[in-house]
Amino acid sequence: IFTLSASKNRTSIAETNSFDMLIIGIFLGMINLLFLTFVLMQLPFLFGEAHLPAGINLASFAREGFFQLMMVMGLVMFIFIFIMRRFKGEKLSVFFLSMLLVQTIIMGFVSLKKMYLYQSIKGATVLRYYVEWFDYFLILVLLLGLVFLIRKIAFSKLLDGVSVLALVAFALIISLNVDGMVASHNIEKFKDKIIGLDKGAISRLSIDALPAIQGSDIIIKVDKKRDCTKFADYHFGYCSKLNRYGRKQYKTYDATAVIEVKEEGLYDER
């Protein structure tokens, strides 16, 4: 925050020498060519109808998109920071780095579309929501880096901007009722084909999902409840939901009985 408000110009570092543009041009040009090849392979999926390629597991397909984005993002950030440490406003560096960022943003949208395809078939989970939102965050960081690079704003201010964005995103996410969102999304999605609804997964959510399952036959199962009559165990959010929505759909289960059923091979963990 201090750096964002500071008037000192940190665009260039006088104590360091700029890179040889011939070497940087060849290096960034080859990296861009490699990225472009991969992006062109992904364009039919990005702009076409979302479908699962033959012979590929759906979960692996979605994870593949996310981890590809993570690897590419790590490489791009390393190159970006390395170049920006000796950046003197060279147009060649701006062009090639901008191309890298744009292509990485496209990969981010490919990863998002794969996750959307996964959720459209299997439904939502807490982890899938977190992965989706993290994809959005990375795309925003890349867009922010692109704007700062083109406008030649000080690199230190970019780092502060990313830090502020991360704090805002974190504050927003922890304020959301993710378990409730998962339950309501899945119940609404599979209301016409109830056989596809994974009730077992919803039953393992927290008490935050209790408002979303009202009117259904789903019961949230926990091994232990809080005792809302005791001050040391009292939690306002938990106890208010429990008192408002009743206790019919929020019950404890006998962990010992479940273990015995598992040992007999009669328990379905889905």
Side-chain angles (χ1 to χ4, degrees):
I1 296 174
F2 169 77
T3 310
L4 284 170
S5 61
S7 59
K8 184 177 179 180
N9 184 8
R10 294 184 175 89
T11 304
S12 62
I13 303 175
E15 293 80 9
T16 60
N17 298 321
S18 60
F19 289 111
D20 187 324
M21 281 298 99
L22 177 61
I23 297 175
I24 290 299
I26 294 174
F27 172 71
L28 291 180
M30 294 300 293
I31 294 292
N32 269 282
L33 183 61
L34 179 63
F35 276 40
L36 181 60
T37 303
F38 180 78
V39 168
L40 291 176
M41 293 171 60
Q42 299 294 322
L43 287 182
F45 174 80
L46 180 61
F47 294 105
E49 183 179 355
H51 66 281
L52 181 66
I56 298 180
N57 178 269
L58 179 59
S60 299
F61 186 61
R63 284 195 293 265
E64 177 188 76
F66 177 73
F67 287 115
Q68 283 175 350
L69 179 62
M70 291 298 98
M71 289 187 291
V72 168
M73 185 74 177
L75 178 61
V76 170
M77 289 301 296
F78 176 78
I79 294 172
F80 189 81
I81 294 173
F82 182 72
I83 299 297
M84 292 301 291
R85 284 180 61 84
R86 296 191 181 184
F87 179 67
K88 304 292 185 181
E90 298 90 349
K91 293 183 179 180
L92 187 64
S93 296
V94 172
F95 173 76
F96 279 127
L97 287 175
S98 299
M99 290 297 295
L100 275 180
L101 293 175
V102 169
Q103 292 176 96
T104 309
I105 290 171
I106 294 175
M107 294 181 194
F109 284 114
V110 171
S111 176
L112 276 175
K113 190 168 183 179
K114 289 181 178 180
M115 182 52 64
Y116 287 152
L117 176 63
Y118 193 15
Q119 293 189 40
S120 68
I121 298 174
K122 293 294 187 180
T125 64
V126 174
L127 180 60
R128 291 168 197 167
Y129 270 139
Y130 285 154
V131 169
E132 177 188 339
W133 295 336
F134 191 61
D135 278 347
Y136 279 121
F137 173 74
L138 292 180
I139 291 173
L140 287 175
V141 169
L142 290 167
L143 287 171
L144 192 65
L146 185 62
V147 170
F148 272 62
L149 179 64
I150 293 174
R151 294 181 61 87
K152 298 181 180 179
I153 301 175
F155 179 61
S156 56
K157 291 186 178 182
L158 172 60
L159 296 179
D160 287 338
V162 172
S163 300
V164 172
L165 180 63
L167 288 173
V168 172
F170 179 75
L172 179 63
I173 289 174
I174 63 174
S175 66
L176 296 175
N177 180 3
V178 184
D179 284 11
M181 293 171 61
V182 169
S184 60
H185 171 86
N186 289 344
I187 291 173
E188 177 65 23
K189 177 177 177 56
F190 295 103
K191 64 180 180 180
D192 296 327
K193 43 181 179 179
I194 197 67
I195 193 172
L197 179 63
D198 190 348
K199 296 182 180 180
I202 297 178
S203 70
R204 293 189 291 271
L205 295 173
S206 71
I207 196 172
D208 290 335
L210 193 56
I213 66 172
Q214 297 302 301
S216 70
D217 61 347
I218 301 173
I219 296 175
I220 295 179
K221 300 175 183 179
V222 292
D223 57 351
K224 185 180 179 182
K225 289 183 180 179
R226 286 176 178 266
D227 187 354
C228 292
T229 61
K230 294 182 179 179
F231 178 78
D233 210 25
Y234 183 82
H235 183 279
F236 177 76
Y238 177 97
C239 295
S240 60
K241 286 187 176 69
L242 195 61
N243 293 330
R244 180 177 180 182
Y245 297 103
R247 302 170 184 269
K248 292 183 178 180
Q249 291 178 270
Y250 189 77
K251 297 181 178 181
T252 57
Y253 67 93
D254 188 350
T256 305
V258 171
I259 293 173
E260 290 175 354
V261 172
K262 281 184 177 181
E263 290 175 349
E264 294 175 4
L266 301 176
Y267 182 76
D268 186 358
E269 291 188 334
R270 292 181 302 170

